Amino acid sequence: MADRLSARAAIAAVTADFTESTAPREDTAADGPLDWTGYADSRARATARTGERESVVHGLATLGGHPCVLVSFEFGFLGGSLGQRTGDRLEAAYEEAVTRRLPLVSLIATGGSRMQEGMIALTQLHRVARASARLRAAGPAQLAVLRDPTTGGGWATLGAGADVILALPGAQIGFAGSRVRPPGADRLAYTAEGQLAAGQIDAIVPQEELAATLGHWLGALAHRDPAPAAAPVPAALSATGLPRTGWEAVVRARSASRPRAEAYLDAYFGIRLPLHGDRCGGTDPGLLCGFGLREGRPVAYVAQCGTATRPAGYRTAARVIRLADRLGVPVLTLVDTPGAANDAEAERAGAGAAIADAFAAIAAARVPVTTLVIGEGGSGGALALAAPGNTHVTADSYFSVIAPELAAAILKRSPDQVHATADQLRLRPQDLVELGVARSVVPAPGPPGAGTGSARTGGDGSIA
C-alpha cells in the first residue's frame, strides 16, 4: 500500500466541497467507561499527532455534483478504532443522512473496536447496525470505500453492510486483524483482491479513479423515482429474419458468432458500474450485474453470458434487483443460458434456494423489469430472470421448458427425432409471441429512418 492518507486527506482526494458537521458533545470520563489507566493520555497524544479529537470525521459533501453525507476514518487516532465517542459521531452521520435523505459514503480505515473501552466499545456495533438499518429503511444508498486496513467491527458493519463496496488496491480487509489471525492463514484472503475473488466486495478502484467512480455511483444510486419508467428494450444486434424450424432456432441461439451480453450492455449504456458477488463467498463469471447510465438515467442490469448460471449468480442477481427496487431504479435483464448449473457443487451451494430467491426478487419488485432473451432460454434457469409480461426476444433466440435433446431422451425417442421434438416444443421466437410468453420479437436496427421498435410476428416467420 502507498502511504496511508489521513481522514482529511482522504476527503480532499475525492472532493473539494466538504463542510464538517458539529461533533456530538463529549462528556465521557477522562479515562473512559472502564477507567483504563492512561487512556486519556493516549487520546491526547493521538490528538496532538493527528489534529483530531476522535477517529472519524463526518459532514456534508458533494461528489461528482451529487450531495451526500461523508464519513472518513483517521487511522492515526488509535488505529481508527471504534469507541463510544466514535459511535456518537457515526450515529449522528447516519441521522443526518436520514433527515436530509442523502446517501452516505464511508471512507473506512479501522482496526476494529477500542480495547480501552471494553464491551462499551463493542456495543457501538449495535448502534451502527441500527443506524444503518434506519437509513436503509428510509431509502438512501450506502457506499463504502475500504482503505487500509478495514478490519473488525468496522468491516462487519459500515463496510460489509453497505449497498456498494469499493476497495483500494492491496488494502487489508477482514474481520480478523493482522495480529489475531490463525497461524499460517492465507494472507490473500485478507486483502482487497482476495475479497473480490470471494464475492465480498464489488470492485477495486485505484485512488486516482476514486473521485470519478464515486461520482458515477452517486449519480446512479441517488436517483429516487416513485414511479420509474420501464427500461427501454435494447435493439437487437443480430441479423433480421426468423428461423423456419425449431431446430434452426436452437442452432442460431447456440452459435458462437451470435452477439453476447457484453456487446448488448456496451451498446445500451454510456457508463457501466459493476456489482460483484453474492456476499456469501461465491461469484459467477457468467453473470454480469450492476447499474448503468443510459442517457443520464440509471438502469440496473442483470445479464447472463451464455453459460449455465450458478447459485452465486442467482444470489447476486437477487441482491441487485432488490437494491434497484429500493432506490426506484428500473431493471433490465438479458437472458442467455442453457439452464441453471446442475452439477453436484451447484446442488451443495443451494441451487434451488438461489433460483427461488431470484424468482422472488423479480416477483416482489415494484419497479418495472424489462427482459430481452438474446440467446438460449433454458428452462427455469432462464425463466428465473425473466419479467412476467414484459419479456421480449431476438430473432436468434429460443425459450423452452427443456432442451430438445433432453426432451427426446426423456420421451425415449431416437436421436433422429430431436429436430421434430424442437418443432413440437414451439420454442422459436415467433412461437413465443403467439403463445403469449414474449411480447415481441425485437428487430435489429434498420437503415436510417427505418426505426428500431419492437414488432410482433407471424407464425410463418415473417415480422408483422
Side-chain angles (χ1 to χ4, degrees):
M1 285 291 296
D3 290 342
R4 188 177 285 125
L5 295 179
S6 69
R8 294 181 192 275
I11 292 171
V14 297
T15 181
D17 184 1
F18 175 73
T19 303
E20 186 172 0
S21 297
T22 302
R25 188 177 63 176
E26 299 176 353
D27 55 3
T28 55
D31 278 329
L34 304 186
D35 198 25
W36 184 289
T37 303
Y39 180 38
D41 291 339
S42 295
R43 290 206 312 271
R45 288 192 297 271
T47 295
R49 184 170 55 251
T50 65
E52 305 296 345
R53 295 182 58 83
E54 248 309 326
S55 59
V56 295
V57 175
H58 70 97
L60 297 174
T62 302
L63 277 70
H66 304 284
C68 67
V69 173
L70 185 61
V71 171
S72 186
F73 276 70
E74 176 54 69
F75 190 78
F77 193 101
L78 303 181
S81 56
L82 278 70
Q84 189 170 25
R85 292 178 178 178
T86 323
D88 292 342
R89 294 189 179 203
L90 291 174
E91 191 171 56
Y94 276 103
E95 185 59 32
E96 190 159 26
V98 170
T99 301
R100 295 178 180 272
R101 301 193 69 80
L102 291 175
L104 185 137
V105 178
S106 300
L107 310 176
I108 307 171
T110 175
S113 299
R114 194 168 297 171
M115 292 181 295
Q116 296 93 330
E117 295 187 19
M119 281 302 299
I120 300 303
L122 192 64
T123 58
Q124 301 311 303
L125 305 185
H126 276 156
R127 294 180 71 188
V128 173
R130 185 166 55 246
S132 176
R134 178 170 154 75
L135 179 57
R136 185 169 289 108
Q142 300 173 45
L143 289 79
V145 176
L146 312 182
R147 297 153 59 208
D148 183 53
T150 299
T151 60
W155 163 231
T157 50
L158 284 94
D163 298 311
V164 177
I165 307 174
L166 310 177
L168 296 182
Q172 299 178 66
I173 302 168
F175 189 63
S178 60
R179 298 184 182 180
V180 297
R181 295 169 191 161
D186 179 8
R187 293 181 62 185
L188 179 63
Y190 302 90
T191 65
E193 290 73 15
Q195 297 287 9
L196 180 68
Q200 307 291 3
I201 66 175
D202 290 306
I204 296 174
V205 183
Q207 181 68 60
E208 62 271 18
E209 298 176 13
L210 187 57
T213 300
L214 287 173
H216 290 321
W217 267 117
L218 288 176
L221 300 183
H223 185 89
R224 287 194 57 78
D225 188 340
V233 182
L237 302 181
S238 53
T240 56
L242 292 167
R244 296 290 172 176
T245 68
W247 186 248
E248 183 185 344
V250 173
V251 170
R252 282 195 190 187
R254 293 177 180 174
S255 170
S257 62
R258 172 182 54 77
R260 304 286 164 155
E262 193 87 43
Y264 276 91
L265 295 174
D266 286 345
Y268 192 79
F269 291 114
I271 294 174
R272 246 193 307 142
L273 303 163
L275 291 170
H276 178 79
D278 67 357
R279 300 292 186 269
C280 302
T283 64
D284 183 352
L287 192 78
L288 300 176
C289 292
F291 281 63
L293 294 176
R294 176 180 170 84
E295 299 176 351
R297 294 186 63 245
V299 175
Y301 63 86
V302 173
Q304 292 170 316
C305 299
T307 58
T309 303
R310 306 205 65 80
Y314 292 111
R315 285 191 288 263
T316 305
R319 174 169 75 91
V320 173
I321 292 165
R322 290 191 174 108
L323 176 59
D325 189 50
R326 196 182 99 218
L327 298 176
V329 175
V331 178
L332 169 70
T333 68
L334 300 179
V335 169
D336 182 11
T337 180
N342 59 6
D343 52 73
E345 180 183 351
E347 293 297 342
R348 285 192 292 267
I355 294 169
D357 196 34
F359 270 116
I362 286 183
R366 295 159 296 181
V367 296
V369 181
T370 302
T371 297
L372 179 62
V373 184
I374 63 172
E376 290 194 83
S379 194
L383 191 68
L385 298 181
N390 198 22
T391 290
H392 305 260
V393 291
T394 64
D396 50 358
S397 70
Y398 78 87
F399 216 144
S400 178
V401 64
I402 191 171
E405 300 96 326
L406 298 178
I410 290 172
L411 296 172
K412 298 181 179 180
R413 294 178 175 177
S414 61
D416 62 2
Q417 293 297 304
V418 168
H419 292 194
T421 303
D423 287 333
Q424 284 185 291
L425 287 168
R426 296 201 65 194
L427 47 71
R428 298 177 304 168
Q430 59 267 40
D431 295 328
L432 299 171
V433 172
E434 290 184 0
L435 291 168
V437 174
R439 289 181 60 181
S440 71
V441 178
V442 178
T452 58
S454 300
R456 298 189 66 83
T457 60
D460 62 355
S462 60
I463 295 180

